């Protein structure tokens, strides 16, 4: 069996047998890795504490037939502050749940890794309202995997915007010609919020966005959830656990 | 596939946690080869436990009466409640002989990713107990993992307005362990939770 070394962020873990765990990680070079960590549920485990969800780790593994085997773990960033706060932990749950669903084994995806790392670093810094980062993370992740939310052009005919109609199914704003009859126009601020959430810019601007336009953010958050669930064809189980103002 | 009764037994054993198809088959054939009395004793134990064991109406620990042995014990200190995830955690803490208070079993831990939220745990019952009983301190004894930490954080927020002292079990170095083998998170916690030597 070949051994290899890689970095990864722990997405989630499952109990295995008496003291072991199956660990799902996202690696920048190998995509999703599923591996067994032996004995990590024992109190005296040498690296059990490093393999908690959201930890960024440097690993040594052996390739297995189905699951790889973790033999050494060094901590790059524990993101412990995320685990110790309910709101931040719930927000991180949405992030890792979505990444676990879209990441593929053996498929390099550095952009997805960098997005998750940035999301967890932002949560670890202690934002007051983590929910807005979840919404930004989801739209940016959707964009990475091929479902970009159009906000500056019509999602159907690509005519330049801004446009007044917003569609989950079509994938963004719609012009008057492409919007189905009876579609209600949305507040332009909602489209501005969706555009800022989806843009790959600084995370630091997001809290003020939610504070200045709380109603627009609420609508944009609902749109984000519907957009991601529709295009990823998956219900986000942990989304409702994130406290929202 | 085996004859009806054997296959039924393998199927039922295979539904147990941690028992795969091969293990289920091995256990089934072991039972076939054992004495009738041994098999009957196992069957009786399962039937009896299902018929007599229930959850304590006060703390949700397993009990043979309406209330569990610990809740019925008048010598226990009712002013300290230890909140745990599962009934087996009660047994683990009782083995230490360090704790003389009572317990409250949540029945799990908050895990958004698995769809387990606060409403799925015995949290309302805990808040009701704090109203009805003279509790001065709540000790949160959840597992030191992501689900346990989330549950402890949620509980401390929920209980803060009630004016009860809320504490969390210390975590740190295992007795008999080597310092240089400890991971950074555990060692860091050991430092932040250090105490004066009396």
């Amino acid at each position: 069996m070949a051994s290899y070394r890689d970095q990864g962020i722990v997405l989630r873990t499952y109990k295995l047998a008496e003291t072991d765990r199956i660990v799902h990680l996202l690696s920048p070079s190998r995509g999703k890795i599923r591996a067994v960590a032996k004995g990590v549920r024992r109190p005296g485990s040498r690296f059990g504490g490093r393999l908690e969800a959201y930890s960024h780790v440097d690993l040594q593994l052996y390739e297995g037939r189905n699951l790889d085997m973790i033999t050494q773990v060094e901590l790059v960033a524990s993101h412990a502050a995320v685990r110790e706060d309910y709101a931040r932990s719930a927000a991180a749950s949405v992030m890792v749940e979505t990444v676990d669903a879209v990441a593929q084994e053996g498929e390099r995806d550095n952009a997805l890794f960098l997005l998750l790392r940035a999301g967890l670093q932002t949560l670890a810094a202690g934002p007051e309202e983590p929910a807005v980062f979840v919404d930004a993370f989801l739209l940016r992740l959707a964009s990475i995997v091929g479902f970009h939310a159009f906000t500056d052009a019509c999602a159907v005919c690509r005519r330049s915007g801004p446009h007044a109609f917003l569609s989950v199914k079509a994938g963004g704003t719609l012009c008057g010609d492409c919007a189905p009859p009876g579609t209600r126009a949305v507040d332009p601020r909602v489209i501005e919020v969706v555009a800022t959430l989806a843009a790959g810019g600084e995370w630091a601007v997001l809290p003020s966005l939610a504070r200045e336009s709380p109603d627009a953010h609420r609508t944009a958050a609902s749109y984000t959830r519907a957009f991601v669930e529709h295009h990823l064809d998956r219900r986000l189980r942990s989304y409702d656990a994130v406290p929202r103002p | 596939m085996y004859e009806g009764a054997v296959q039924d037994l393998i199927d039922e054993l295979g539904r147990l946690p941690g028992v795969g198809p091969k293990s289920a088959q091995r256990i089934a054939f072991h039972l076939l080869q054992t004495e009738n009395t041994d098999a009957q004793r196992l069957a009786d134990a399962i039937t009896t436990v299902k018929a007599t064991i229930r959850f304590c109406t006060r703390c949700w620990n397993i009990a043979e009466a309406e209330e569990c042995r610990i809740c019925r014990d008048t010598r226990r200190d009712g002013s300290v409640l230890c909140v745990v995830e599962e009934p087996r955690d009660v047994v683990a803490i009782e083995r230490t002989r360090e704790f003389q208070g009572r317990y409250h079993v949540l029945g799990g831990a908050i895990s958004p990713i698995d769809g387990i939220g606060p409403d799925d745990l015995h949290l309302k019952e805990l808040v009701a107990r704090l109203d009805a009983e003279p509790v001065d301190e709540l000790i949160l004894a959840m597992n030191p993992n992501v689900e346990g930490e989330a549950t402890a954080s949620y509980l401390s927020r929920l209980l803060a307005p009630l004016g009860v002292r809320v504490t969390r079990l210390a975590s740190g170095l295992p007795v008999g362990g080597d310092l240089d083998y400890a991971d950074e998170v555990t060692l860091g916690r050991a430092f932040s939770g250090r105490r004066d030597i009396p």
Side-chain angles (χ1 to χ4, degrees):
Chain A
M1 286 193 294
S3 88
Y4 63 96
R5 186 176 170 174
D6 206 343
Q7 288 210 355
I9 292 173
V10 180
L11 302 176
R12 63 178 308 183
T13 64
Y14 300 89
K15 288 179 184 174
L16 178 71
E18 288 289 313
T19 58
D20 310 336
R21 279 190 190 280
I22 294 175
V23 185
H24 285 194
L25 301 120
L26 180 71
S27 143
S29 56
R30 291 172 180 251
K32 188 157 83 176
I33 297 173
R34 294 188 309 132
V36 174
K38 293 287 234 182
V40 291
R41 283 159 56 208
R42 286 200 193 103
S45 163
R46 271 194 270 173
F47 51 75
R50 296 177 184 138
L51 286 174
E52 280 297 307
Y54 323 140
S55 294
H56 179 186
V57 288
D58 192 342
L59 306 133
Q60 185 79 33
L61 305 102
Y62 273 104
E63 279 179 4
R65 206 182 303 165
N66 295 316
L67 299 167
D68 295 350
M69 183 79 73
I70 298 172
T71 55
Q72 287 180 46
V73 184
E74 294 295 328
L75 202 59
V76 177
S78 80
H79 299 132
V82 177
R83 289 189 291 273
E84 289 164 7
D85 177 78
Y86 174 72
R88 285 187 261 165
S89 186
S93 279
V94 183
M95 294 181 182
V96 296
E97 178 191 353
T98 327
V99 169
D100 197 28
V102 301
Q104 299 295 316
E105 289 180 56
E107 278 189 20
R108 178 191 174 91
D109 199 338
N110 198 38
L112 192 59
F113 178 84
L114 292 175
L115 178 71
L116 180 60
R117 193 181 66 175
L120 291 173
Q121 282 172 343
T122 308
L123 291 178
E128 281 183 22
E129 296 294 345
V132 67
F133 298 106
V134 172
D135 301 325
F137 180 88
L138 290 174
L139 286 175
R140 292 171 192 195
L141 175 140
S143 182
I144 287 173
V145 298
F147 301 104
H148 182 70
F150 280 89
T151 51
D152 53 359
C154 174
V156 174
C157 70
R158 301 289 193 268
R159 191 197 305 166
S160 293
H163 299 296
F165 303 99
L166 199 53
S167 163
V168 166
K169 209 172 160 186
T173 49
L174 292 177
C175 65
D177 295 338
C178 294
T183 308
R184 281 197 305 172
V186 297
D187 184 340
R189 281 175 303 178
V190 173
I191 293 168
E192 281 172 31
V193 172
V194 172
T196 312
L197 291 173
E202 284 293 315
W203 298 78
V205 301
L206 297 175
S208 60
L209 188 77
R211 265 197 310 272
E212 287 160 15
S213 318
D215 292 338
H217 175 237
R218 246 189 306 279
T219 311
S222 302
Y223 175 78
T224 299
R225 180 186 193 169
F227 180 90
V228 172
E229 289 189 334
H230 174 80
H231 291 287
L232 299 186
D233 193 18
R234 182 187 174 85
R235 194 174 74 83
L236 299 175
R237 297 175 85 177
S238 41
Y239 189 89
D240 287 327
V242 182
R244 288 180 182 269
Chain B
M1 294 291 281
Y2 295 91
E3 292 292 319
V6 178
Q7 189 59 46
D8 289 347
L9 180 60
I10 292 171
D11 291 345
E12 289 304 318
L13 291 168
R15 288 165 61 174
L16 297 174
V19 180
K22 279 282 178 197
S23 298
Q25 187 177 300
R26 198 169 58 247
I27 297 166
F29 276 95
H30 170 78
L31 290 171
L32 272 178
Q33 287 164 2
T34 55
E35 296 290 330
N36 280 354
T37 50
D38 292 343
Q40 190 58 51
R41 206 167 46 242
L42 175 64
D44 289 346
I46 294 171
T47 314
T48 308
V49 83
K50 288 304 291 177
T52 59
I53 299 296
R54 59 185 101 168
F55 289 105
C56 172
T57 52
R58 198 162 162 194
C59 74
W60 297 91
N61 189 10
I62 49 175
E64 290 194 7
E66 190 160 314
E67 287 192 350
C68 71
R69 177 179 54 82
I70 296 168
C71 286
R72 288 199 312 269
D73 187 346
T74 52
R75 291 167 301 174
R76 306 290 297 215
D77 181 1
S79 67
V80 188
L81 271 192
C82 182
V83 185
V84 296
E85 291 179 17
E86 302 287 350
R88 60 177 179 265
D89 300 330
V90 172
V91 178
I93 294 171
E94 284 296 286
R95 275 202 305 262
T96 67
R97 298 175 190 271
E98 289 280 330
F99 180 64
Q100 298 303 319
R102 294 209 164 96
Y103 294 91
H104 188 88
V105 181
L106 294 176
I110 295 172
S111 178
I113 206 163
D114 296 312
I116 302 171
D119 293 341
D120 300 310
L121 308 178
H122 302 304
L123 292 181
K124 282 184 199 132
E125 293 85 347
L126 174 62
V127 174
R129 276 187 82 177
L130 296 179
D131 271 343
E133 298 176 27
V135 177
D136 296 328
E137 182 182 358
L138 269 184
I139 303 170
L140 304 183
M142 283 93 226
N143 290 327
N145 55 27
V146 67
E147 294 85 10
E149 299 289 357
T151 309
S153 166
Y154 182 87
L155 264 175
S156 64
R157 269 196 203 186
L158 178 76
L159 303 171
L162 302 180
V164 183
R165 182 181 179 217
V166 181
T167 55
R168 178 94 166 94
L169 280 194
S171 60
L173 298 169
V175 175
D178 285 357
L179 200 78
D180 61 337
Y181 279 133
D183 65 84
E184 297 84 343
V185 183
T186 307
L187 195 51
R189 288 232 185 147
F191 261 98
S192 61
R194 70 188 185 278
R195 59 188 169 82
D196 293 324
I197 298 175

